[in-house]
């Protein structure tokens, strides 16, 4: 029961992280206009994400424009797009695989060893998905910070970290933590099974020796 609860905890943590990854992917606030230093505070706030750029006015109106060309984008934006899409797809596969492998489900209940291996596969996919998100968000943040501290960048054209980056970091940590819980719970089960098998071997051998020492039917002691 303890390992089943541990698996459920890991699954729901990873599921929450996957939802956060989807939110991070679609949000346009990966970077936002900076008002640090001597920058002139404008009535329009600029945001930019992986798919679009937005302008938020002081009146509350938001206008967004989707990037027209894929090839004209910077290389880090194209790479981050690919990593986030891979992370979402991999997380979706991990959700299905983990449900099949968890103890609380009846699918494949006849073979506990195979079920544990499936759960470990799902946990590993969650780990890889979280790693893709972590690399994508961290790389984008590195590009934002390098442009911010670049002396050749105009003050009014500098950007800071947007809320989507922080959501992405939190989502990546949740997915990796949940995937680790799934893998560790199944590994402990396999180790316990091996220990039980090793402990049962000597008793089985002793029973076999006792049976071999007993006289067969029709034999009598002299």
């Amino acid at each position: 029961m303890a390992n089943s609860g541990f698996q459920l905890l890991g699954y729901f943590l990873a599921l929450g992280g996957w939802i956060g990854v989807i939110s991070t992917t679609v949000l346009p606030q990966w970077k936002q206009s900076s008002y640090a230093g001597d920058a002139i505070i404008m009535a329009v706030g600029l945001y930019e994400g992986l798919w679009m750029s937005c302008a938020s006015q002081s009146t509350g109106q938001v206008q967004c424009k989707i990037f027209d060309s894929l090839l004209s984008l910077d290389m880090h934006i194209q790479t981050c797009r690919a990593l986030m899409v891979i992370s979402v797809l991999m997380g979706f596969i991990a959700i299905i695989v983990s449900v099949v492998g968890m103890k609380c489900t009846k699918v494949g209940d006849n073979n506990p060893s195979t079920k544990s291996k499936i759960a470990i596969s799902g946990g590993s996919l969650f780990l890889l998905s979280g790693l893709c998100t972590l690399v994508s968000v961290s790389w984008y943040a590195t590009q934002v910070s390098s442009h911010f501290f670049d002396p050749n960048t105009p003050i009014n054209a500098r950007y800071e970290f947007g809320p989507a980056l922080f959501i992405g970091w939190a989502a990546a940590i949740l997915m990796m933590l949940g995937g680790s819980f799934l893998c560790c719970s199944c590994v402990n089960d396999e180790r316990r099974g091996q220990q039980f098998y090793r402990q049962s071997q000597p008793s089985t051998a002793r029973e076999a020796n006792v049976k071999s020492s007993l006289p067969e039917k029709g034999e009598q002691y002299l």
Side-chain angles (χ1 to χ4, degrees), residues 190-206:
E190 291 185 354
R191 289 180 179 177
R192 289 177 182 176
Q194 292 176 358
Q195 290 178 357
F196 177 78
Y197 177 73
R198 290 174 182 174
Q199 291 175 358
S200 62
Q201 277 185 336
S203 60
T204 306
R206 286 196 299 269

Side-chain angles (χ1 to χ4, degrees), residues 6-48:
F6 200 57
Q7 282 184 341
L8 281 174
L9 176 61
Y11 179 78
F12 284 115
L13 285 175
L15 181 61
W18 182 68
I19 295 173
V21 169
I22 296 176
S23 302
T24 304
T25 305
V26 299
L27 282 175
Q29 290 91 357
W30 280 60
K31 65 179 181 180
Q32 59 187 3
S33 54
S34 174
Y35 303 111
D38 298 329
I40 299 175
I41 298 178
M42 298 180 296
V44 179
L46 302 178
Y47 303 94
E48 188 173 318

Side-chain angles (χ1 to χ4, degrees), residues 163-176:
L165 294 182
F166 299 99
I167 297 175
W169 278 317
I173 292 173
L174 285 177
M175 289 192 75
M176 296 177 71

Side-chain angles (χ1 to χ4, degrees), residues 18 86-96 125-126 129 175:
W18 182 68
I86 291 172
S87 179
V88 172
L89 295 177
M90 199 178 299
F92 178 74
I93 297 173
I95 290 172
I96 299 175
L125 287 174
F126 275 128
S129 179
M175 289 192 75

Side-chain angles (χ1 to χ4, degrees), residues 102-110 115:
M102 285 195 302
K103 292 182 179 180
C104 58
T105 59
K106 298 297 182 181
V107 182
D109 198 20
N110 296 328
K115 201 171 177 67

Side-chain angles (χ1 to χ4, degrees), residues 91-207:
F92 178 74
I93 297 173
I95 290 172
I96 299 175
V97 173
S98 299
V99 168
V100 176
M102 285 195 302
K103 292 182 179 180
C104 58
T105 59
K106 298 297 182 181
V107 182
D109 198 20
N110 296 328
N111 195 339
S113 177
T114 303
K115 201 171 177 67
S116 297
K117 292 178 181 179
I118 294 174
I120 292 175
S121 300
S124 301
L125 287 174
F126 275 128
L127 284 171
L128 291 175
S129 179
L131 184 61
C132 289
T133 302
L134 185 63
V135 171
S136 176
V137 174
S138 300
W139 189 8
Y140 195 96
T142 302
Q143 294 294 324
V144 173
S145 60
S146 63
H147 283 88
F148 182 86
F149 293 107
D150 188 358
N152 296 324
T153 303
I155 296 177
N156 294 331
R158 293 180 179 179
Y159 287 86
E160 293 183 352
F161 297 162
L165 294 182
F166 299 99
I167 297 175
W169 278 317
I173 292 173
L174 285 177
M175 289 192 75
M176 296 177 71
L177 191 62
S180 300
F181 284 177
L182 283 171
C183 293
C184 292
S185 62
C186 297
V187 169
N188 290 333
D189 288 342
E190 291 185 354
R191 289 180 179 177
R192 289 177 182 176
Q194 292 176 358
Q195 290 178 357
F196 177 78
Y197 177 73
R198 290 174 182 174
Q199 291 175 358
S200 62
Q201 277 185 336
S203 60
T204 306
R206 286 196 299 269
E207 290 177 359

